[in-house]
Amino acid sequence: MFPASFDYAKARSVAEAISILSSVEDAKLLAGGHSLLPLMKLRLASPSMLVDIGSLAELSYIEDKGDYVAIGSMTRHHDISSSRVLKSEIPLLPYVASQVGDPQVRHRGTIGGSISHGDGASDLPAAVLALDAKFVVAGPKRERIVPATEFFVGFLETVLSPDELLTEIRVPKFSGGWSFQKFNRRAQDWAIVGVAAVNDGGTRVSLVNMGPTPMRARAVEEALADGASIETASSKASEGMDPPTDLNASSQYRRHLAEVLVKRALTEAV
Amino acid sequence: MTVVETGSSERVTGKRLLRREDPALLTGEAKYVDDIREQGALYMALLRSPLAHAKIVSIDVSAAKKMPGVTDVMSGRDLQSEWVAPMPCAWPVTQDMKNPPHFPLATDVVHYVGDAVAVVLASDKVAAVDALAAIDVNYEALPVVVDLEDAVSDRILVHPSLGTNKCFVWKVEPDNDKVDQAFASAAHVTKNRYVQQRLIPSALEPRGVIAIPHPYGGEYTLFSSTQIPHILKVMLSTTIGISEAKLRVIAPAVGGAFGSKLNVYAEEVLALALARKLGKPIRWTEERSENSLATIHGRGQLQEIELAADEKGRITAVRVNIIADMGGYLQLLTPGVPLLGGFLYHGLYDVPAYSFSCTGVFTNKTPTDAYRGAGRPEATYAIERSMDLLAKKVGVDPAEIRRRNFIPPEKFPYSSVPGLIFDSGSYLPTLEMALEKVGYQELRKEQERRRSGNSRKHLGVGISSYVEMCGLAPSKVLGSLRYSAGGWESATVRILPTSKVQVVTGTSPHGQGHETSWSMIVADRLGISPDDIEVLHSDTAIAPHGLDTYGSRSLAVGGSAVYLATERVLEKARLIAAHRLEVSVEDLQYKDGSFRVTGSPEKAFALSSVAFEAFTAHDLPEGVEPNLEATVSWDPPNFTFPFGTHIAVVEVDEETGATELLRYVSVDDVGNQINPMIVEGQIEGGIAQGVAQALYEEAIYDEFGNLLDTTFLEYLLPSAAEFPSFELASTVTPSPTNPLGVKGVGEAGCIASPPAVINAVVDALSVFGIDHIDMPASPQKVWTAIMSSQGNGRKVE
Ligand SMILES: Cc1cc2nc3c(=O)[nH]c(=O)nc-3n(C[C@H](O)[C@H](O)[C@H](O)COP(=O)(O)OP(=O)(O)OC[C@H]3O[C@@H](n4cnc5c(N)ncnc54)[C@H](O)[C@@H]3O)c2cc1C
């Protein structure tokens, strides 16, 4: 499998990356390459140019900002899974990062790449959704801040425009229970269904691979807020969802798994 | 216990010597086909049909020819004059077997998705692949046959000119009246239907080939990632009409094969023919997804098996009917694969009446062929699944039903009703040892505790006792089965002037460690260090005779040839030593590298001196030729029959349907072990591959004949993370078939493990009244089975 031919530029700064994106048609950012390159090899994507930001030091950091932790978008999954700050302040996130793919994937893939890719089957997007994170997005004209709940819009589609770059993920600290349930066949696989739950006074639940984007399980959250039992709340796990059918699982089996996994997640987190 | 004669006071065989092959493989020094640089080579790419069955109305290559870097683009019709014969099938299993012509490129009709229709040659790899998209093929779709029973019905024909989809019907029916009587008077009868799903062999290194012409010498060298350089050489020369004397075939480092490189493939034939046509080197490396379509698949059978038994559960007859999927064409051994299991559906049980029938059918899918185990995993699965069902009917423990039926040790050599002679065996100890090792009684108690404690994670224990047949094979028997080649193996042992030893073998290792094992065999016999022994192989110019590596044959047949060639060299050396010591040969004993005179051990002549004498030839005995070398071609008198018992312990999560393999115990008897570490490696890999069949892998086709899982994202090849550490043990029952007393171990693991795992899964699910689940037992399949079981997802008592 070979990608179609393309040009390559290594950006020396965020500003330079954005200026190339604005001037070259069909240019695309390259982070860890672990989602983009497979698509290119399958010829499902054929950008004219790759703008490599994977090794930009200014985008790789994890900083304690008081009530939130700021994570540079090019921080690798491995660095998140081994971060001491995150382990003590937001333990869900490093745990989720440790469940992504295999060691090779975790040393290449970045949190910003994963979120920008916006794959409903990916783990970190669902995790930051449950964590009510906010994203800092830089563009040619201005910088904007987008809440996770408004970021994912459709299948591999986010609010990012082609000349924008996700620079930072701001994740609020929380104290309380949490759980991440990932159901897959092989250790390195994506989730067939996954559930992230955070209990921080209220309970937030998000689902992996239950729709075109990472999804908040609103029906579950509302039921819990209304005082429903875990059993009753988890039975609403697939309400409003339209999960995909693929070789691993039918839509119906996914709905069932979502209920089982939400129940397990709530039992652990609440 | 050991039958091997040794010339060494400290034995090397039986030791866990590290493999001499590994440093080069692990550091990347080893060269695979794709690593070989060849100046001026053209890269080949093949355009493959996206349709499973279609008429080729037209092919327009003109636009592709104009693409940058492209040298030539040719369709099947353009190349039809290159072939003197269709691609070979070496196993016409019956007189009237149907074998549709199969050429490297389809000319008029494509028969499966992946069937190649055109070839591009370009100055680099990417240019060749890019040009494929510019070839314009106009297809007219034809109806497609995917399902095996649909194929048997002949509703739609894969090859209309044959008039049927049935390739052959092949039977082993020694006495059908006896079988019928046994069923008529049986106290218990089981009748079951099992699916052997198709598997994609998935060698780590895909296939690859480089064909190099030497135009002024009129000769050709072909590098191929193959298991069979020798057979390939013969077949290529007869397919494209190049003199065998002008063709040299080399298998460099080969990254796994599992039977998938035991073939003559279109790309090998094409590369060589194009090298001849253009006078330029031609190279091709398969892509991963291409490998899923264009390299043979394994298994693909529908099995129906009936057992008749008396009150005690002793089997009185086995009756088997299978449909075997050939795919779109016959490859080298396609029709023969089910036969290799056809004699073994009674397993290691003493069964007085037997009937087996196999119908091979064409379908619009990738051709099948030998895949690790080839026929024996299928047979073992059918009988071992049925043994559990019989145990249930009789009301005894699965272990007990096996005890009641094992062929007893006093019956060996055992003449089986289907017509084999099992060389040696002692089955019960492997079962008892495995039960003990796994802690069977304790597991049964734990299982009960969980059931009564309303746990939703159910424990399952599955037993699989197996016998298989390897050491392919006595040539006469192969002849009687209409196989087109023999089963002997050749070896040369050459002691060089400086007394270093060269061993030339006709086997073609691709991961099995022959260099290490063969050197150990010779080291023991000569009483020298294995480090002084070099093993040469896999190049027809260096090892001209051989029948290559497959069917767990190499040690039993090729290793024996090496041993016998060493003996023969030693005989010659003895003549020279006796001459120099002026004694008769009977007075000499050989030990630790020297001949000594019996009774006066100070009179000695070292092998190293003999070697030099043989080289200088200044004073050789009358009639003895210079040089110390012997070649043996050895034809085994029988197959060998390894056996053992495997036990799997699983936990099935009733809520998700997920199965976790908790433990895996195996007790195998592969005869004498030359290098126990290599034996264990083979067993472990085999177990993993068999568990993969039981739980993970399946080539999934849709109704249009599209293969849906052509990447490792969808095709669930498991990794080490999915397995517990296996708990291995062995017993040793030497084989009387060969001088080493060895049996063979390449396939045993994947033959034994699928039924062990499925028996365990079904054992766990028996609380729901479920008595079978087809492979692969995926979570969704298990969950669906629970939901639609007798108790609709509730336990039945
Ligand atoms: C074998 C394998 C297994 C995997 N398993 C899992 C798994 O279990 N769970 C899981 O969640 N993921 C899994 N992944 C995906 C992995 O986590 C990827 O690393 C991740 O999805 C994408 O991150 P990346 O840095 O590689 O992004 P890239 O592939 O480089 O980029 C992805 C997309 O985002 C865009 N992009 C990248 N960075 C930015 C940015 N800063 N601003 C705007 N756009 C940007 C790119 O242009 C591209 O379109 C797996 C991948 C592989 C290859």
Side-chain angles (χ1 to χ4, degrees), chain B residues 406 427 430-431 434 463-466 643-647 665-667:
Chain B
F406 282 144
Y427 300 151
T430 68
L431 174 65
I463 302 174
S464 159
S465 292
Y466 74 98
F643 57 89
T645 297
H646 289 204
I647 299 183
V665 166
S666 85
V667 180

Side-chain angles (χ1 to χ4, degrees), chain B residues 319-335:
Chain B
R319 184 157 53 202
V320 180
N321 251 297
I322 68 174
I323 306 173
D325 190 350
M326 306 286 101
Y329 304 95
L330 301 182
Q331 282 280 355
L332 191 64
L333 305 177
T334 305

